[in-house]
Amino acid sequence: MDIPEQARAFLAAMRDRWACKLYDGRALAPEEESLILECGRLSPSSFGLEPWRFVANRPGGQVRQALFEACFAQDGVRTAGMVVAILVRRAEAYDPDGPLVLQRSARFPGGHPVFRADFVGYYEFLKAEGRLEEWARAQAYIPCANMMTGAKAAGIDSCAIEGYKEAEVLAALGFDPDIWRVGIVVTFGRPAEPVREKIREGLKAISEFK
Ligand SMILES: Cc1cc2nc3c(=O)[nH]c(=O)nc-3n(C[C@H](O)[C@H](O)[C@H](O)COP(=O)(O)O)c2cc1C
């Protein structure tokens, strides 16, 4: 079977993406910023609730300095053309009758009554297991991955950043820690270091069909 051209281009972006840890410090073009954020916006979320907020930051200024310190002084955060913190709401926000769920569900066919009937069982399950925030945070990795691959397709490098102090990231960005959690942080920009070779296990070593 022939692999369609679009899929080849997608795979090339996946193959060429690498974790850049030192950038040239230049801001991205507005179109590039928008492209990356659009890749986040189009990402799927559980029940379509879009639990996130993408908080972007350009180079220079106090916010960047505070983010740098909150991320254990990683040079990639200091020098990136754009840093995006993917925040997700705390557990209380997913109440089936709360304002977020009311607003999000109103967009779907059948509105809140239909949505609620579908959602409430899973919500109660997650709540009983104490997993609501784990569920919300896990979702942040989807826009993170899509933004990184989308950026690479546009010739922009990136790195996911798990090395952060959550309270400090929220304080740097001015978000209330009683309402928000950090899902993950991502840096974007043009490299000021050589490309590192991709090291991966072969497909046979990490996958199987049953
Ligand atoms: C969830 C996640 C968190 C990461 N956190 C950091 C980080 O805090 N600092 C860092 O330098 N690299 C971080 N990385 C980059 C990884 O080290 C890198 O992606 C991995 O070694 C594979 O290399 P490659 O992306 O160049 O293929 C992170 C990657 C992922 C996926």
Side-chain angles (χ1 to χ4, degrees), residues 17-19 21 74 141 159-163 184 198 200:
R17 188 212 51 79
W18 61 287
K21 309 196 182 194
Q74 296 192 55
Y141 286 70
C159 186
I161 301 288
E162 266 268 311
I184 190 160
K198 191 175 288 302
R200 292 290 189 276

Side-chain angles (χ1 to χ4, degrees), residues 1-2 9 17 59 62 95 112 115 117 132-133 136 151-152 160 176 186 188 197 200:
M1 184 204 142
D2 279 344
R17 188 212 51 79
Q62 285 177 358
D95 182 324
H112 183 247
F115 183 93
L132 278 165
E133 286 178 16
K152 189 68 223 184
D176 185 345
V186 206
F188 298 95
E197 188 198 342
R200 292 290 189 276

Side-chain angles (χ1 to χ4, degrees), residues 57-84:
N57 169 258
R58 299 190 175 106
Q62 285 177 358
V63 172
R64 177 60 66 87
Q65 180 61 27
L67 281 175
F68 169 61
E69 287 165 20
C71 295
F72 299 98
Q74 296 192 55
D75 280 330
V77 176
R78 181 175 58 80
T79 57
M82 177 168 74
V83 177
V84 178

Side-chain angles (χ1 to χ4, degrees), residues 94-105:
Y94 309 107
D95 182 324
D97 299 304
L100 178 81
V101 173
L102 284 172
Q103 186 272 324
R104 297 289 201 257
S105 63

Side-chain angles (χ1 to χ4, degrees), residues 41-140:
R41 188 182 77 86
L42 293 174
S43 297
S45 58
S46 183
F47 287 89
L49 277 173
E50 301 173 59
W52 42 60
R53 185 154 188 92
F54 307 129
V55 186
N57 169 258
R58 299 190 175 106
Q62 285 177 358
V63 172
R64 177 60 66 87
Q65 180 61 27
L67 281 175
F68 169 61
E69 287 165 20
C71 295
F72 299 98
Q74 296 192 55
D75 280 330
V77 176
R78 181 175 58 80
T79 57
M82 177 168 74
V83 177
V84 178
I86 304 179
L87 308 184
V88 294
R89 288 165 175 83
R90 279 198 175 272
E92 295 69 31
Y94 309 107
D95 182 324
D97 299 304
L100 178 81
V101 173
L102 284 172
Q103 186 272 324
R104 297 289 201 257
S105 63
R107 307 171 304 163
F108 300 128
H112 183 247
V114 171
F115 183 93
R116 191 189 193 286
D118 190 29
F119 176 58
V120 70
Y122 191 57
Y123 167 81
E124 293 296 351
F125 164 73
L126 288 174
K127 190 177 176 190
E129 300 240 318
R131 284 184 46 214
L132 278 165
E133 286 178 16
E134 177 196 330
W135 167 72
R137 282 200 68 239
Q139 293 177 55

